[in-house]
Amino acid sequence: MRISALSVLALGFGLGLVSFQLTACSNSADDCNATATCGASSTMPHAGAAGKSGGGSDTGGDGAGGKTGGGSSNNAGTSGSEGVGGEGGNGSGACTGDVSEDAACWTTNELGVFVSSDSGDDSGAGTKEAPFKTITKGIAAAAGKNVYVCVGAPDYTEHIRLDAASDGIRIYGGFECTNWTYATTRSAQVLSPSNIALRIDGLKKGAQIENVGFQAADATGTGADASSYGAFVTGSKGVKLTRVELKAGKGAKGADGEAGTTGANAATPEAKQKGTAPACGTTVEDANGGSWPSAMCGSRGGNGGATVANTPGGNGFSGTPGQNVTPANKVNLGGGTSGDNVAGGAGDSGSNGNEGPMASAAALAGAFAAVGFTPAAGNDGGNGFPGQGGGGGGASGGNVNGNTTCRGASGGAGGMGGCGGGGGKAGAGGGASVGLFAWSSDVALVSCSMESVAAGAGGKGGESGIQGTGSDGGDGGDADLAHKIEKGGDGGRGGNGGPGANGSGGTGGPSYALVYSAGSQPTYDAVDTTLKAGEPGAAGKGGDGLATKGLDGTVGASAKEFEVQ
């Protein structure tokens, strides 16, 4: 291009100047003007060569002369013009698409923290060269960066929790641990030591997880902790799971109900329960029959019949209670007598107490709420009823022998009834197994799998408590055969208490691949996302103690999806 200009100068200023410029600026072997090979555009400025693709994150500079333009993004620089280098490529360093689409660009220390179960150390820097050991540490240190998790030889034994502190987190698990290459066919595996593998709560920006498998442990607790969840999501928006496997552990078996307590045996009669002996003389005081100072568990033996001088013996009293015993309202008193050498009538035995009220059956199913699943337990059996106290013995009659007045012997108190046995306790309901639980949340699934396994069986109802036994009645007062007075009647034996009722069995837990609250159904394509439900929990058996057999629980449910209304 300069040679054309020099030719003009040669015409105006002479051959010597032309000779000088040619020596300084031209190689005749290469110059198109010298060789007459320049094209039509040779009188126009040359275009500089295209700037090369930028690398790193610095801004590309202009090329000099006709050299290629500098650049530092992935975009090529523009062609240079008029001897000026092309414009540098976009130096922003921003990667396009998702990690799976351009992993080489995304996997830098500037854009992510790195986690390796193979070689990581949670005291490290979290870089590609010095990764963390646990995903939990990577999440805590992310500070807006992605979390890159490689598929290590040991799985990640931890429980993953995402909450407000990690809102907007992005976790990718398809990396190889040596070179950190990415493949969508690889997945890092999390084996949770707890009954929830992945817990997400209260996210507003959301979360994105790709190529990670979550396996929850079998549940071993009670109540809300009796169920196992692959993932448990509550109150969160924008949760996206891609190529994520969610597998629950087994639901816990409901605990068997405890047996009812054994009813107390009745007290043994002592001196105060024995009738009073006859007495003779010119002045004779009246005498009451044997008696108990108070009731025991609602049972009391009847008082013995009283005696009065020169009067027929008094009747004893029936024992109590008269209800919830069989037969009811039994009159079991001993009758008083009169005449020489006639003993007072003995009291009759008390009726046995009835068994406790039967336990009602467990609900047909437990209930899901924001806190998870509450199993359906059986119910406690009622306590057995006390036996009726024995009837008090009748008194023997008094008489007159010459100038001597005698009273008869008073009757003994009836024996106490035994106490009722305690009711058997309820069998607990079985825990649930749930692949994904989503409550008041926005969850999108892409090429995922959700699996539940066996739910927990209901617990057996507790056996009825054994009833207490009744006691013998008190003896009637002694005889005075010298004065032709027989003994008072003995008190009757108290009835046995009734056994407690058996507890009812708990209902088996459900097995659902997916559970969601009304309005929170996750979005997914049925073609590339799979749901698999396991076996429902077996029904718990009712208690089978002495009382009528308790009611069984209900078998749990099993389905791929369940919407909580």
Side-chain angles (χ1 to χ4, degrees):
M1 295 175 70
R2 290 183 182 178
I3 295 174
S4 296
L6 291 176
S7 297
V8 175
L9 291 174
L11 292 175
F13 299 104
L15 182 62
L17 180 59
V18 172
S19 176
F20 172 78
Q21 292 290 343
L22 290 173
T23 302
C25 299
S26 175
N27 182 334
S28 61
D30 297 328
D31 192 290
C32 67
N33 286 300
T35 59
T37 59
C38 296
S41 62
S42 63
T43 59
M44 301 298 293
H46 277 88
K52 66 179 180 179
S53 298
S57 59
D58 297 328
T59 301
D62 291 337
K67 297 180 181 179
T68 57
S72 59
S73 79
N74 295 322
N75 303 319
T78 60
S79 297
S81 63
E82 297 183 349
V84 179
E87 179 185 352
N90 178 9
S92 65
C95 301
T96 59
D98 199 1
V99 171
S100 61
E101 298 169 339
D102 191 2
C105 174
W106 282 98
T107 50
T108 64
N109 291 334
E110 289 77 18
L111 296 177
V113 296
F114 294 78
V115 179
S116 171
S117 60
D118 275 350
S119 60
D121 186 337
D122 279 352
S123 64
T127 60
K128 186 183 295 187
E129 298 76 20
F132 293 130
K133 181 76 171 178
T134 65
I135 300 172
T136 299
K137 177 64 176 180
I139 293 170
K145 295 183 179 180
N146 295 335
V147 177
Y148 300 134
V149 183
C150 73
V151 183
D155 293 323
Y156 295 87
T157 305
E158 52 185 309
H159 162 77
I160 304 301
R161 181 178 179 87
L162 305 179
D163 51 26
S166 51
D167 205 355
I169 195 76
R170 299 174 303 278
I171 302 172
Y172 300 88
F175 290 92
E176 183 269 334
C177 289
T178 302
N179 298 317
W180 292 96
T181 57
Y182 186 81
T184 58
T185 56
R186 286 194 293 256
S187 290
Q189 297 298 314
V190 174
L191 297 183
S192 174
S194 69
N195 60 316
I196 299 176
L198 172 63
R199 180 71 171 97
I200 300 176
D201 179 53
L203 299 187
K204 299 185 183 303
K205 299 177 184 177
Q208 182 172 336
I209 303 176
E210 294 189 11
N211 290 80
V212 182
F214 295 91
Q215 167 71 66
D218 294 342
T220 58
T222 60
D225 292 328
S227 299
S228 179
Y229 306 86
F232 194 104
V233 185
T234 52
S236 295
K237 304 299 180 183
V239 176
K240 183 179 180 181
L241 307 180
T242 302
R243 296 179 297 278
V244 170
E245 302 165 354
L246 302 173
K247 187 174 181 180
K250 295 178 181 178
K253 177 188 177 301
D256 294 340
E258 296 180 354
T261 56
T262 299
N265 295 328
T268 301
E270 298 179 348
K272 290 183 179 181
Q273 285 76 55
K274 182 177 180 178
T276 304
C280 297
T282 54
T283 302
V284 178
E285 294 182 356
D286 300 340
N288 293 322
S291 63
W292 296 92
S294 61
M296 176 179 175
C297 62
S299 175
R300 186 171 185 175
N303 293 343
T307 180
V308 178
N310 197 24
T311 303
N315 295 331
F317 293 82
S318 293
T320 56
Q323 300 297 312
N324 296 312
V325 293
T326 301
N329 299 316
K330 180 179 180 181
V331 178
N332 59 356
L333 57 84
T337 59
S338 61
D340 294 342
N341 300 314
V342 180
D348 198 358
S349 61
S351 296
N352 292 332
N354 294 339
E355 66 181 47
M358 192 170 187
S360 57
L364 297 179
F368 284 98
V371 295
F373 181 70
T374 300
N379 291 287
D380 296 344
N383 295 332
F385 293 96
Q388 179 190 16
S396 58
N399 58 27
V400 177
N401 290 286
N403 293 326
T404 303
T405 299
C406 298
R407 69 170 189 232
S410 64
M416 287 288 220
C419 298
K425 302 303 181 183
S433 178
V434 178
L436 169 61
F437 177 82
W439 193 272
S440 298
S441 295
D442 171 23
V443 181
L445 305 167
V446 179
S447 301
C448 294
S449 66
M450 292 162 281
E451 182 179 355
S452 60
V453 292
K460 179 182 177 182
E463 295 184 352
S464 55
I466 299 172
Q467 68 273 18
T469 58
S471 64
D472 291 332
D475 293 335
D478 296 334
D480 181 359
L481 298 181
H483 292 92
K484 301 178 182 181
I485 300 174
E486 266 288 355
K487 67 186 297 293
D490 295 337
R493 181 177 178 82
N496 295 330
N502 290 295
S504 59
T507 291
S511 181
Y512 295 127
L514 171 61
V515 175
Y516 53 89
S517 61
S520 292
Q521 182 178 16
T523 61
Y524 67 89
D525 186 336
V527 175
D528 62 9
T529 293
T530 61
L531 293 84
K532 182 179 179 181
E535 292 294 322
K541 300 295 185 182
D544 53 5
L546 294 174
T548 304
K549 183 183 180 303
L551 299 173
D552 294 343
T554 303
V555 177
S558 176
K560 291 182 178 180
E561 287 191 34
F562 180 73
E563 181 179 10
V564 183
Q565 299 295 332

